[in-house]
Amino acid sequence: MTQRLFFKAITACLLMLLLIGITSCNSAKAPPNLVTPSGQPDAAIFVSQQAPVMVSLLTNPEKLPSSERDGELSKLKTSLLANTDIDYQKDIQPWLGNEITLAVTALDLDREPENGRKPGYLMALATKEPEKSREFLELLFSKRSLAGANLTVEQYKGVKLIYEIPQETPAEEKPGGYFSVPNRQSKTQNPKSQIQTALAGAVVGKNFVLFANEPKVLRDAINNVQAPDLNLISSSKYQQAIKASPKNALAVAFLNLPNVAKWQGLESETTTYNSQIVSLVPNPKGLIAETALLAKEKNLLSPTETAKPVGALQYIPASAGLSVGSSNLSNLERSNLALLWQQAIALISGAKEDVFSGLLQPLAEVQKRWNINWKDDIFSWVQGEYAIGLLPREDKINPDWIFVAEKSEATPVAISHLNELATSGGLSLNSLKIGEQKIFAWTELAATPSQSALAKDRQVYTIQAKVLGAYADVGNYEIISSSIEAMDAALTAKENSLVNKSDFQNSIAALPQPNQGYVYLDWTKSQPIIERQLPFLKLVEVVGKSFFQNLRSLTVSSYGSDTDLLKGGVFFQFNG
């Protein structure tokens, strides 16, 4: 398995835990007070400050809707208990508490890259009945012993560890269990056999049952408790992230971004942030995934600007698959909304593209074809409100687009400059009307042979004009579009505009005010566009099938004014 595929497989396991929390709010019948989260993961005391990622479900699974207990949670139970003869309802449910935490604790346990990388994995299950959880642990390992596993019992700093001694196993065999992943293989080893990762477990104090893929991971976890300066709870960055996060989170993920990049096998060029926390918070109309990115150094970020109420969105039709609304495009690269998107793209796929070449590919193609620079020729003069919308078309792969900008003193000069660029590129400028509104179209003229019967002794041509773009001066706004049809959709939006769409209204009501604007996706309409830009998303969809099948829309926003903390959120709405 290549390093990239290995990362994706393990990431799928981590995402499953988060999806349990996400899809638990996926039911229209679920009450707002579905769960009572604990606020922050207590198991962070076992996790090193250098751990790449920690994911926690902060409620007892039995408090989730029954439909969910039959969904993603069932997959996790099946993976955990495969080939163990353990019954979840009988052996685990009676003692399981209000937290399940999974962490990648180390990139390589022996720190010897020449013999391959073997990460450490730790799972912590909160227990409300310590004696019953000890009985479970004994039962689990006794059954594994009967199945042929060689066990060892070790006392380490007052804690009883039970673990299997790794055995060489034919590669064709695939022992069950959540942590049964291939171990390192030496160059001299028989390629038809491999060492299987062992299972290690312990009950620590009265609060947690720990499982790991190596006894060293358990020893390190115990050391982290007894040496407070080592664990995640003692990290100032972690405390800052927790303080900035909502207290009623259903699930939490904390990421050490430089180590996440190494885990993926990527060289991280973005050094602005070194930590990130994602919190899932139930909402009566959906779910909010709130994130806080912590800058590597204080005052590394520019002070944020609050977007005005985005009136430009009134010209974006409700049929748009993807829409962006904010203010001050002249500062796009350093806007919080762009930084939030860029960080997400870099984390998921390692892409180094800017926000518009990745998110709004049709605009990037226009930039190449027209020989214009969006940043210099358009964005530089937009200091007020702006809105962008992508309108799917059945007859084309790429959607139509609409760009709306609040006018300023610089607008006439900017439009004249665009006309000059168009004519120098061989395009013609023509005026026409849509209803009572005068618009201007950039057209490309082409002569095609006529089939007219009148043309007997000479070739007759007809002139056809292909519209490559249009613009219109409408009230306090300038509208630019990719086609006449898109311009007509913008001019006739009225009551059917995005701002009057109930999903959008629910989204902006759920997200904090004031903020720096919105990125709104109608999932059904924009899914093909996003998947082309983020192929990795298809893996996530497989893991969270029920989530994406019911997802209706999502809205991204950034907010807050700290210069060393970037806060944002994603509001998910579901069908039903």
Side-chain angles (χ1 to χ4, degrees), residues 299-330:
N299 301 320
L300 194 59
L301 302 176
S302 298
T304 59
E305 293 185 17
T306 300
K308 302 175 184 177
V310 187
L313 285 170
Q314 66 184 300
Y315 295 103
I316 303 299
S319 60
L322 186 153
S323 308
V324 181
S326 187
S327 63
N328 194 6
L329 270 173
S330 62

Side-chain angles (χ1 to χ4, degrees), residues 255-310:
L255 300 92
N256 181 315
L257 295 177
N259 285 342
V260 168
K262 293 177 182 178
W263 182 35
Q264 297 184 53
L266 301 172
E267 291 296 330
S268 177
E269 295 186 359
T270 304
T271 59
T272 306
Y273 313 104
N274 61 3
S275 304
Q276 180 177 7
I277 191 166
V278 181
S279 305
L280 300 178
V281 182
N283 182 280
K285 294 185 178 181
L287 177 78
I288 298 177
E290 185 167 296
T291 185
L293 287 153
L294 283 72
K296 187 175 182 180
E297 301 173 4
K298 282 187 174 295
N299 301 320
L300 194 59
L301 302 176
S302 298
T304 59
E305 293 185 17
T306 300
K308 302 175 184 177
V310 187

Side-chain angles (χ1 to χ4, degrees), residues 71-302:
E72 301 299 335
L73 187 59
S74 294
K75 297 177 186 177
L76 185 58
K77 293 174 185 176
T78 300
S79 185
L80 275 168
L81 305 176
N83 297 337
T84 63
D85 294 324
I86 297 295
D87 182 270
Y88 173 82
Q89 298 294 333
K90 176 183 176 182
D91 301 320
I92 298 179
Q93 182 181 337
W95 57 263
L96 186 60
N98 291 323
E99 179 179 338
I100 301 175
T101 289
L102 176 63
V104 178
T105 61
L107 297 173
D108 190 6
L109 288 174
D110 65 6
R111 300 180 182 178
E112 294 180 4
E114 62 275 4
N115 64 356
R117 178 183 290 181
K118 182 181 180 182
Y121 302 107
L122 177 71
M123 175 170 277
L125 306 176
T127 175
K128 57 187 179 182
E129 298 284 350
E131 289 305 318
K132 288 184 179 180
S133 57
R134 286 190 177 88
E135 292 173 4
F136 161 76
L137 197 66
E138 297 285 349
L139 175 64
L140 172 64
F141 280 96
S142 65
K143 289 190 174 184
R144 294 183 76 92
S145 177
L146 291 173
N150 294 326
L151 301 182
T152 294
V153 177
E154 173 187 339
Q155 289 290 332
Y156 184 77
K157 296 186 176 180
V159 179
K160 181 182 178 181
L161 311 183
I162 307 176
Y163 53 89
E164 301 173 9
I165 300 174
Q167 302 179 55
E168 190 171 283
T169 307
E172 292 82 2
E173 297 182 16
K174 298 181 180 179
Y178 192 76
F179 291 111
S180 295
V181 294
N183 198 347
R184 286 178 296 231
Q185 184 173 323
S186 67
K187 295 180 181 179
T188 59
Q189 185 178 337
N190 185 338
K192 293 185 179 181
S193 66
Q194 60 187 16
I195 299 296
Q196 294 294 326
T197 297
L199 178 67
V203 177
V204 181
K206 298 180 179 181
N207 299 319
F208 280 98
V209 178
L210 304 184
F211 292 102
N213 63 326
E214 285 281 350
K216 182 183 186 309
V217 176
L218 293 184
R219 298 188 197 104
D220 289 344
I222 295 168
N223 291 340
N224 290 334
V225 175
Q226 298 185 0
D229 58 326
L230 299 177
N231 64 50
L232 199 54
I233 289 179
S234 65
S235 164
S236 59
K237 287 292 184 182
Y238 178 76
Q239 288 298 328
Q240 185 181 2
I242 287 292
K243 185 178 180 181
S245 301
K247 305 307 178 187
N248 58 335
L250 179 67
V252 171
F254 183 78
L255 300 92
N256 181 315
L257 295 177
N259 285 342
V260 168
K262 293 177 182 178
W263 182 35
Q264 297 184 53
L266 301 172
E267 291 296 330
S268 177
E269 295 186 359
T270 304
T271 59
T272 306
Y273 313 104
N274 61 3
S275 304
Q276 180 177 7
I277 191 166
V278 181
S279 305
L280 300 178
V281 182
N283 182 280
K285 294 185 178 181
L287 177 78
I288 298 177
E290 185 167 296
T291 185
L293 287 153
L294 283 72
K296 187 175 182 180
E297 301 173 4
K298 282 187 174 295
N299 301 320
L300 194 59
L301 302 176
S302 298

Side-chain angles (χ1 to χ4, degrees), residues 312-388:
L313 285 170
Q314 66 184 300
Y315 295 103
I316 303 299
S319 60
L322 186 153
S323 308
V324 181
S326 187
S327 63
N328 194 6
L329 270 173
S330 62
N331 190 40
L332 175 66
E333 291 182 351
R334 294 198 60 79
S335 70
N336 280 10
L337 203 59
L339 290 172
L340 192 64
W341 176 260
Q342 289 170 335
Q343 182 66 33
I345 296 301
L347 181 63
I348 294 174
S349 65
K352 303 174 183 177
E353 301 163 331
D354 62 62
V355 64
F356 275 93
S357 62
L359 179 60
L360 302 173
Q361 186 65 29
L363 272 66
E365 293 179 359
V366 169
Q367 179 169 283
K368 296 177 183 178
R369 185 170 182 177
W370 290 21
N371 193 31
I372 66 171
N373 185 296
W374 283 98
K375 177 182 175 182
D376 296 335
D377 298 324
I378 297 181
F379 295 168
S380 60
W381 56 268
V382 181
Q383 297 182 358
E385 303 171 18
Y386 72 87
I388 301 170

Side-chain angles (χ1 to χ4, degrees), residues 311-501:
L313 285 170
Q314 66 184 300
Y315 295 103
I316 303 299
S319 60
L322 186 153
S323 308
V324 181
S326 187
S327 63
N328 194 6
L329 270 173
S330 62
N331 190 40
L332 175 66
E333 291 182 351
R334 294 198 60 79
S335 70
N336 280 10
L337 203 59
L339 290 172
L340 192 64
W341 176 260
Q342 289 170 335
Q343 182 66 33
I345 296 301
L347 181 63
I348 294 174
S349 65
K352 303 174 183 177
E353 301 163 331
D354 62 62
V355 64
F356 275 93
S357 62
L359 179 60
L360 302 173
Q361 186 65 29
L363 272 66
E365 293 179 359
V366 169
Q367 179 169 283
K368 296 177 183 178
R369 185 170 182 177
W370 290 21
N371 193 31
I372 66 171
N373 185 296
W374 283 98
K375 177 182 175 182
D376 296 335
D377 298 324
I378 297 181
F379 295 168
S380 60
W381 56 268
V382 181
Q383 297 182 358
E385 303 171 18
Y386 72 87
I388 301 170
L390 299 186
L391 281 65
R393 291 188 55 162
E394 295 182 357
D395 58 333
K396 292 183 179 180
I397 296 178
N398 285 328
D400 273 341
W401 52 264
I402 299 170
F403 175 75
V404 185
E406 186 178 12
K407 290 190 294 188
S408 68
E409 294 180 356
T411 302
V413 174
I415 294 298
S416 295
H417 179 59
L418 287 178
N419 288 333
E420 292 173 1
L421 290 174
T423 54
S424 65
L427 301 182
S428 301
L429 182 65
N430 300 279
S431 65
L432 60 151
K433 280 191 173 184
I434 296 180
E436 297 299 318
Q437 176 64 49
K438 183 177 181 180
I439 72 169
F440 294 88
W442 294 297
T443 60
E444 184 178 63
L445 300 179
T448 57
S450 174
Q451 302 299 320
S452 173
L454 298 177
K456 297 181 179 180
D457 55 350
R458 58 189 175 86
Q459 182 65 63
V460 177
Y461 291 86
T462 59
I463 304 299
Q464 295 183 337
K466 181 180 179 181
V467 177
L468 299 181
Y471 70 89
D473 183 330
V474 183
N476 198 37
Y477 298 93
E478 195 76 33
I479 303 177
I480 305 175
S481 68
S482 59
S483 68
I484 298 296
E485 293 79 7
M487 179 62 74
D488 179 60
L491 295 174
T492 58
K494 296 182 180 178
E495 297 302 320
N496 292 320
S497 68
L498 179 67
V499 293
N500 293 317
K501 189 174 183 178

